[in-house]
Amino acid sequence: MTTHTTRMLILGSGPAGLSAAIYGARAGMQPIVVQGIQPGGQLTTTTDVENYPGFADVIQGPWLMEQMQKQAEHVGTRLMWDTIVEVDLTKRPFRLIGDGGDVYEGEVLVIATGAQAKWLGIDSEEAMKGKGVSACATCDGFFYRGKKVAVIGGGNTAVEEALYLTNHSDDVTLIHRRDSLRAEKILQERLFAHPNITVLWNKEVAEFVDGGGTAGLVALDLKDTATGEVSRLDVQGGFVAIGHHPATELFRGHLALDDDGYIAVQPGSTRTSVAGVFACGDVMDKIYRQAVTAAGTGCMAALDAERFLAEADFEKLAEAAE
C-alpha cells in the first residue's frame, strides 16, 4: 500500500478534471489526477467533435483528450491509474482509497467524475451508437441537417432536444412510451405548437434498424405499449433522451446532493457542502453537459481551490504569529 500526497487531489480525467489539473499545476499545487474507470471521460467514446473551440476542422474525441492529458502532464500533473472505492471527507487532508489499497491525500479535493447518459439497453442500440444513434442532440444534431430524426423520451431533456433539433431538421418525431409527458408545461406548449414536431404516444423502440454498409440508421421499429402492434418509422437519426446518471454514489452521505443525485454547489462557484471540496463538470451540471462547459467549470474549481488554500495558509501564518 502506497500513500500519495498532494495539495490538490482531482478525481476524474475528462475535460473538467484535466482543465482543473492544468490550472492547478500552473498555480503550483502539484495536482494528482486519479483517472477512474473511464480515463478521458465521455469524449473518449465520441468520434467527430465539431463544437470544441479552437479547431476549424473536425477533430476526434479521443485525440482531444490525449492532448489535454499531455498538456496537464507537461505543466506538472501526476496521473494515476486507479479507481477510488472509499472516501473520508471529515478532515483535511481528505483521504481517498483506491481499489488496490493505495491511499490518496489532498489538502483540497476536486471532484470531476462526470455523468453517463441512460440508454434503452437494447442490443441494436449499442451496435448503432455513433452510426445514427446518439444521446446528445446539442453535440450531434448538426450532423443531421435536413434529415428525419427522432427523440426518445418524455421529460424535459427529451422535449428540449426535440425543440433544438428543429434548428437542423424539418421532420422531428418525439416518441414516448406513455400517453402524457413529464416535461414542464411551458416546454410542452412549445413542443405541441411547433409545426415540425410530431409526437407518437404509447410507443417504445424495439429496434434501431441498420441500413448496412455506410448507411447507418435508416429506421426505428416501434412497439405500441397498449396494443403490442409493431410499426416502422423511417429516420436517419435517433436521439435517446431519458436522462443521465451522475457518478456520485461514492459521495452519498458525505456531500450534499440535489434531488437528481448531482453534487450541489454554491451558486456561481464550484464549492460543495464541505469546505475544501469542489465539484466541476457533468457531476454538478445537469443543464449544459458540454465538453467546453465542463472545461470551464474545471478552471473555476482550480481557481476556487487555489483561493481556499491561500486563505488557509494565511490563517496558519496568522495563528503562528500570535
Side-chain angles (χ1 to χ4, degrees):
M1 184 181 76
T2 305
T3 298
H4 310 274
T5 60
T6 177
R7 295 213 83 190
M8 174 190 259
L9 183 59
I10 301 170
L11 187 53
S13 55
L18 291 179
S19 295
I22 291 164
Y23 276 81
R26 287 174 56 81
M29 290 187 279
Q30 300 176 318
I32 289 177
V33 172
V34 183
Q35 299 192 77
I37 294 173
Q38 189 179 41
Q42 293 184 74
L43 271 184
T44 57
T45 63
T46 303
T47 51
D48 293 348
V49 176
E50 259 188 332
N51 57 2
Y52 199 87
F55 302 96
D57 297 321
V58 178
I59 57 173
Q60 300 299 299
W63 177 85
L64 178 59
M65 295 318 303
E66 181 185 335
Q67 295 302 304
M68 283 192 188
Q69 178 178 321
K70 287 179 178 178
Q71 185 179 4
E73 290 179 307
H74 176 73
V75 291
T77 300
R78 284 186 288 164
L79 273 74
M80 311 295 291
W81 292 79
D82 206 344
T83 302
I84 300 300
V85 295
E86 187 179 332
V87 300
D88 181 359
L89 307 183
T90 57
K91 60 183 183 299
R92 295 178 52 236
F94 303 114
R95 193 169 188 266
L96 281 64
I97 301 175
D99 63 2
D102 278 13
V103 175
Y104 301 87
E105 293 183 342
E107 292 179 46
V108 293
L109 172 65
V110 174
I111 302 168
T113 47
Q116 294 290 333
K118 295 178 184 176
W119 295 93
L120 300 176
I122 56 179
D123 292 342
S124 57
E125 176 185 60
E126 185 65 33
M128 295 301 292
K129 286 180 184 176
K131 300 177 183 178
V133 175
S134 169
C136 182
T138 315
C139 311
D140 300 328
F142 184 76
F143 299 115
Y144 298 90
R145 295 187 304 278
K147 297 181 179 179
K148 295 177 66 174
V149 296
V151 177
I152 299 103
N156 285 350
T157 299
V159 174
E160 288 168 349
E161 301 254 283
L163 289 165
Y164 174 82
L165 285 167
T166 61
N167 294 316
H168 305 294
S169 171
D170 294 332
D171 192 337
V172 179
T173 302
L174 181 73
I175 299 165
H176 187 41
R177 58 196 174 116
R178 298 190 178 92
D179 60 2
S180 61
L181 300 174
R182 302 186 315 277
E184 294 170 4
K185 203 70 176 173
I186 190 167
L187 286 174
Q188 293 191 42
E189 290 171 359
R190 288 175 57 200
L191 180 88
F192 297 142
H194 203 292
N196 297 337
I197 299 177
T198 303
V199 180
L200 293 182
W201 303 105
N202 298 316
K203 297 285 192 294
E204 61 185 11
V205 177
E207 186 174 355
F208 294 93
V209 181
D210 188 347
T214 59
L217 182 71
V218 295
L220 304 178
D221 281 346
L222 306 175
K223 181 180 178 181
D224 193 292
T225 56
T227 67
E229 179 186 353
V230 176
S231 59
R232 176 164 288 193
L233 177 69
D234 292 334
V235 294
Q236 288 81 53
F239 294 85
V240 179
I242 56 175
H244 287 75
H245 285 297
T248 54
E249 278 302 315
L250 192 61
F251 302 102
R252 199 169 292 277
H254 300 277
L255 290 172
L257 307 179
D258 70 12
D259 292 341
D260 296 312
Y262 290 79
I263 294 177
V265 295
Q266 297 176 28
S269 81
T270 61
R271 295 189 294 273
T272 71
S273 58
V274 173
V277 178
F278 307 89
C280 55
D282 288 8
V283 77
M284 49 73 79
D285 170 26
K286 58 186 175 186
I287 298 173
Y288 302 104
R289 294 194 300 263
Q290 300 297 302
V292 66
T293 52
T297 58
C299 163
M300 290 169 60
L303 296 177
D304 286 344
E306 192 276 331
R307 288 171 185 143
F308 175 86
L309 286 176
E311 289 172 8
D313 290 345
F314 179 78
E315 288 172 4
K316 281 183 183 177
L317 287 172
E319 288 174 5
E322 289 179 357

